[in-house]
Amino acid sequence: MRTLTRTLIAAPVAMVMVALAATSATAQLSEPPAPITSYAGDPGRLGDPASWRTPEFNRDVGLVSIGAEYAYAAGYAGAGMSVGVVDSGVFAGHVREHGSLATNYAVGDRYFSVPAQGGDTGLTPGFYDPAYNDTHGTHVTGTIGASRDGVGETTPAGPEANMHGVAFNSDVYTGNTHKTDGVFYGLLPADATEAQTPDNAYIQNVYRAVNTAATTDGKPIRLITSSWGSAPPTENYNTYDAPPGGPATFGLNTAWRHWSLPDGLVDANGKTVRWMNGAIEVARTGTIIQFTAGNAGAINPTPRGAAPYFLPDLEGRWYTTSGINPNIGRTFNADGSVLVPGQQEFNQCGVAKWSCVTAPSRLINSTTVQLVDGVPQPRYQAFSGTSMAGPHSAAALALIMQRIPYLTNEQALYTMFTTGRQNNTISDATGVAVPNPTRGQIVQVPDRRNGWGTVSLREAFRGPGQLLGPFNVDTKGFSDVWSNDISDVAIQSRRLEDEAEDAAWEATKAAKGWTNGLPPGASDVDKSDFAIGTRREQAREARVYVGSLSKKGAGTLFLTGNDSWQGRSTVRGGKLSVVGSHASAIDVAGGTLGGSGTVIGGIDVARGVLQPGLTAKEAARITDVPVTPGNVLTTGGDVRIARAGRLAVTVRDDSDYTSVAAAGDLVLAGELDIDVQGSLTRGTVLTLMKGRSVSGTLHKLPERRVVNAGGYLFRVSYRNNSVTLTVIGAVPPGR
């Protein structure tokens, strides 16, 4: 466990907080977030995204492109989130930008140094040192978490230079590469200088140190973002393999072979350690790793960005970020929010499209450091490149993790993926950029130019946009709303891609004599290609090509959209409330199924409760889409309530009660719970369930059995394909 370097100076001030209100711009958790802290007089208000678009907000042109104002209007700015960074140091002199309202921005109490050592490099703090660092790391970390303080640092440019980061209440933990952004991260050219040569063993340890850093709240760092380093001139990623007649070192696959050597073997650089293995090790602990795609304009990202293609077990733990130019193709809605985020630039997503997003990368203003007479001074400056895109996406992911705290790291990442907005262009069949006919819409299937499109906090805060296979969620006592129309279109499309890839792989194995494994004396190139192909084959065989939902844990999950995933849904704990339309069948294996929407598939209550209806109190929790209380849960299939299941209904008066309407058959064996909350009239018939037919009876309730519940006597009937209760009258006193 690494220790943190920080110095705090107490500065008592009045706290200015934004309290969560019922009119927030997204659905409320049962436990609201900590209040956003900002400066006195901040016009930002909950429920009002436009109020957050101050000059300070607008000085990072990327914030509006990712819908950051919707996060703030919902009450989220990163409080309690710790973002890890590995880069060329962060200048500690940006005390206001690194500070908090708790210390009146007089102390950089949110930015922490994570020291590391290893290889030929001694103990190195995460803070900037002009002896071996440049301003790059300071710029990257400013985009992540620079304070929304209203003033900024005192610089020659004055307050007009001030900006704030995406997650301006978050904590930032920085490890230092002990180099500048000009260090090479691949096959070194023969004339590489010491400054361009990374200390591989040391950088491995930097990733390990950040991953295990002791945070102020004791919670683990869930993601680490990296934008450092330059592609060496020896490498080019416009082709997969070395191009015919071109340099033998070109090609993404060629470059990957450098990283595929296990530590201990000597690589083409004469090294026995590869720094990226440290990052891979960290990703396999479950921490999300983000690497930027690179700036050469190639059709593929760098090998480090494309790692999940070559190592499919990294999917869901590793992603890359390409850039968008907000100055080209960006359009807005009438309310000032972004519609089309911009146009993709720099390296494309290429083979890594399933693990790639885009984010703002053009003329991004952020914190920098400048040497004035040899003394580092805080400054602001605009830079361009995917190095600017990466921190936008990483900080957005931190906000998604804060907004939906019960999601796993992988589920939060997939929520970011499946809610991205489509950019201005896509590639035609030859790879040339052409206008995107569905620009501005939510991405359905990632493409090779844009991947999952531009991160959209507005959509991500409404829950997943798709299920990319089984989605087993534990709500951990939180109650929440997913209001997107959730599908599984992408994973179904991936099945077709995988089938084509599988056919090509079988043809390759046959052509090269690999059907029964590699022959003796295979070349190193063949060994690498066979290993890549085998890993991808194993990933295809393990992949599930339909989305499904399993809900466990206390708390209610409300589904308000038109959900169309094909796999079954299962309630294992807490409550699942269908308020919109739900295409698949639902199994109740514990917990409760409720709601006033439509389950197009059937409902099978093996163990647990079927409790139709949406109460007024529940409806009030749903603030991002219009809903009204309702009594009837409708299904297009059969309803089965097994002996260990039960039907629970609420009766408020003669005409206000909950029920189930089924187009299919009713198969009954479970218990009946009746909650009577009002006065009833003798002779009133309450239809609790209606279907195509009824078989069986509720437990110990045969035809015409009299039930005593809530101070009334009811007679049970199963005639006319319905389950009814007829009010006999009030229970006589003393009975």
Side-chain angles (χ1 to χ4, degrees):
M1 187 74 70
R2 299 286 176 176
T3 57
L4 302 179
T5 301
R6 63 170 178 162
T7 303
L8 295 181
I9 300 174
V13 295
M15 294 292 286
V16 179
M17 298 186 177
V18 181
L20 190 66
T23 56
S24 60
T26 191
Q28 296 176 37
L29 289 171
S30 52
E31 296 182 15
I36 291 177
T37 58
S38 184
Y39 58 93
D42 189 338
R45 300 186 305 276
L46 292 177
D48 184 1
S51 68
W52 295 89
R53 300 185 198 122
T54 62
E56 185 178 13
F57 174 99
N58 289 324
R59 286 190 191 99
D60 175 0
V61 297
L63 292 181
V64 73
S65 291
I66 64 172
E69 69 270 38
Y70 285 88
Y72 312 147
Y76 298 86
M81 299 306 302
S82 297
V83 181
V85 181
V86 175
D87 214 295
S88 59
V90 54
F91 177 48
H94 266 290
V95 290
R96 287 192 63 87
E97 298 293 8
H98 297 172
S100 70
L101 181 65
T103 56
N104 199 26
Y105 304 105
V107 178
D109 58 326
R110 293 187 302 104
Y111 276 56
F112 305 104
S113 162
V114 181
Q117 61 185 342
D120 298 323
T121 304
L123 188 65
T124 302
F127 290 133
Y128 161 88
D129 189 322
Y132 46 78
N133 290 144
D134 60 5
T135 196
H136 188 268
T138 301
H139 195 279
V140 165
T141 55
T143 297
I144 293 170
S147 299
R148 182 179 170 101
D149 65 341
V151 178
E153 308 294 352
T154 302
T155 73
E160 282 66 35
N162 182 36
M163 45 69 67
H164 70 73
V166 176
F168 57 81
N169 279 172
S170 66
D171 290 342
V172 180
Y173 292 80
T174 304
N176 197 327
T177 61
H178 202 273
K179 299 290 180 180
T180 70
D181 185 46
V183 67
F184 291 140
Y185 48 67
L187 179 63
L188 298 174
D191 59 352
T193 65
E194 176 63 25
Q196 294 170 325
T197 304
D199 184 338
N200 293 299
Y202 164 72
I203 294 179
Q204 279 191 356
N205 284 344
V206 175
Y207 283 96
R208 297 181 181 119
V210 174
N211 191 46
T212 58
T215 60
T216 57
D217 59 7
K219 297 179 181 178
I221 290 172
R222 299 175 63 183
L223 68 148
I224 300 174
T225 182
S226 287
S227 300
W228 62 271
S230 302
T234 55
E235 297 181 358
N236 183 289
Y237 315 124
N238 266 320
T239 57
Y240 182 74
D241 287 308
T249 60
F250 280 20
L252 179 64
N253 187 28
T254 309
W256 175 257
R257 283 195 287 272
H258 174 84
W259 302 108
S260 63
L261 284 178
D263 285 350
L265 298 181
V266 179
D267 62 22
N269 290 335
K271 308 294 184 180
T272 58
V273 175
R274 263 61 64 188
W275 66 261
M276 198 162 75
N277 286 342
I280 292 171
E281 174 189 313
V282 166
R284 285 175 173 156
T285 71
T287 302
I288 302 293
I289 296 289
Q290 189 284 141
F291 276 112
T292 48
N295 299 339
I299 66 171
N300 290 301
T302 66
R304 58 188 187 159
Y309 176 86
F310 299 102
L311 300 173
D313 69 298
L314 296 181
E315 284 197 22
R317 306 177 180 190
W318 189 296
Y319 77 101
T320 190
T321 308
S322 181
I324 58 160
N325 186 341
N327 299 315
I328 300 178
R330 185 168 70 173
T331 63
F332 294 89
N333 296 304
D335 62 1
S337 62
V338 74
L339 177 60
V340 181
Q343 185 160 304
Q344 189 275 333
E345 63 177 355
F346 303 117
N347 285 9
Q348 299 173 33
C349 293
V351 299
K353 69 177 187 176
W354 288 97
S355 299
C356 182
V357 297
T358 61
S361 57
R362 176 62 53 173
L363 294 176
I364 302 301
N365 183 52
S366 185
T367 53
T368 57
V369 56
Q370 180 181 358
L371 291 176
V372 180
D373 297 328
V375 179
Q377 297 291 332
R379 295 291 186 268
Y380 298 90
Q381 193 172 350
F383 293 149
S384 299
T386 56
S387 287
M388 289 63 252
H392 276 96
S393 74
L397 179 56
L399 293 182
I400 294 167
M401 289 175 169
Q402 184 197 9
R403 155 67 184 90
I404 319 179
Y406 54 85
L407 294 184
T408 66
N409 292 352
E410 180 181 276
Q411 289 168 347
L413 180 63
Y414 286 165
T415 296
M416 183 172 76
F417 284 174
T418 60
T419 53
R421 282 186 179 269
Q422 297 186 50
N423 295 323
N424 190 48
T425 60
I426 54 175
S427 297
D428 66 11
T430 65
V432 174
V434 295
N436 180 3
T438 53
R439 54 188 173 270
Q441 297 181 19
I442 302 302
V443 171
Q444 297 300 299
V445 180
D447 69 88
R448 292 178 66 92
R449 178 173 294 273
N450 302 284
W452 287 102
T454 295
V455 176
S456 174
L457 287 167
R458 183 178 191 177
E459 273 70 36
F461 270 38
R462 296 172 176 168
Q466 295 194 44
L467 304 183
L468 304 180
F471 199 101
N472 302 317
V473 63
D474 183 347
T475 48
K476 301 178 181 178
F478 291 98
S479 290
D480 201 5
V481 180
W482 292 356
S483 58
N484 285 315
D485 295 337
I486 307 172
S487 73
D488 57 359
V489 171
I491 197 65
Q492 292 178 49
S493 177
R494 194 167 192 182
R495 181 202 295 267
L496 300 177
E497 291 186 14
D498 280 357
E499 289 173 352
E501 182 180 338
D502 190 65
W505 173 237
E506 292 300 322
T508 296
K509 289 193 291 185
K512 295 194 173 186
W514 295 352
T515 302
N516 297 314
L518 284 176
S523 68
D524 289 342
V525 171
D526 283 353
K527 289 178 181 177
S528 177
D529 287 350
F530 184 79
I532 294 167
T534 300
R535 287 192 296 266
R536 292 191 60 77
E537 179 181 35
Q538 292 169 344
R540 291 192 298 272
E541 291 173 349
R543 193 167 288 130
V544 178
Y545 294 103
V546 294
S548 63
L549 176 68
S550 177
K551 154 69 170 86
K552 68 176 183 178
T556 301
L557 179 60
F558 298 92
L559 302 177
T560 67
N562 295 320
D563 299 331
S564 59
W565 67 79
Q566 293 188 355
R568 298 182 77 89
S569 299
T570 305
V571 187
R572 302 188 184 278
K575 184 177 182 180
L576 182 70
S577 182
V578 176
V579 183
S581 175
H582 191 87
S584 66
I586 300 180
D587 296 332
V588 183
T592 301
L593 172 64
S596 57
T598 300
V599 179
I600 298 173
I603 298 172
D604 189 340
V605 186
R607 182 171 56 86
V609 182
L610 176 57
Q611 186 178 40
L614 181 74
T615 68
K617 184 177 180 180
E618 288 177 321
R621 303 184 68 88
I622 303 170
T623 58
D624 56 346
V625 292
V627 299
T628 57
N631 284 331
V632 182
L633 181 63
T634 303
T635 176
D638 299 338
V639 177
R640 175 181 175 270
I641 304 177
R643 176 64 188 85
R646 67 177 61 185
L647 172 68
V649 295
T650 300
V651 181
R652 301 178 189 89
D653 60 36
D654 293 345
S655 60
D656 184 3
Y657 59 93
T658 60
S659 64
V660 176
D665 302 321
L666 307 179
V667 182
L668 308 176
E671 304 277 352
L672 173 64
D673 288 345
I674 309 170
D675 179 16
V676 179
Q677 299 180 352
S679 299
L680 300 174
T681 304
R682 179 186 176 94
T684 297
V685 178
L686 309 175
T687 302
L688 307 186
M689 302 183 76
K690 186 173 181 61
R692 182 172 54 195
S693 70
V694 179
S695 61
T697 67
L698 294 168
H699 184 57
K700 293 185 178 180
L701 296 177
E703 178 72 22
R704 298 188 63 78
R705 174 61 57 88
V706 174
V707 178
N708 183 338
Y712 288 87
L713 296 177
F714 303 89
R715 180 173 287 114
V716 179
S717 178
Y718 302 94
R719 296 175 180 175
N720 299 318
N721 303 322
S722 302
V723 179
T724 63
L725 297 178
T726 300
V727 181
I728 298 174
V731 177
R735 288 191 60 183

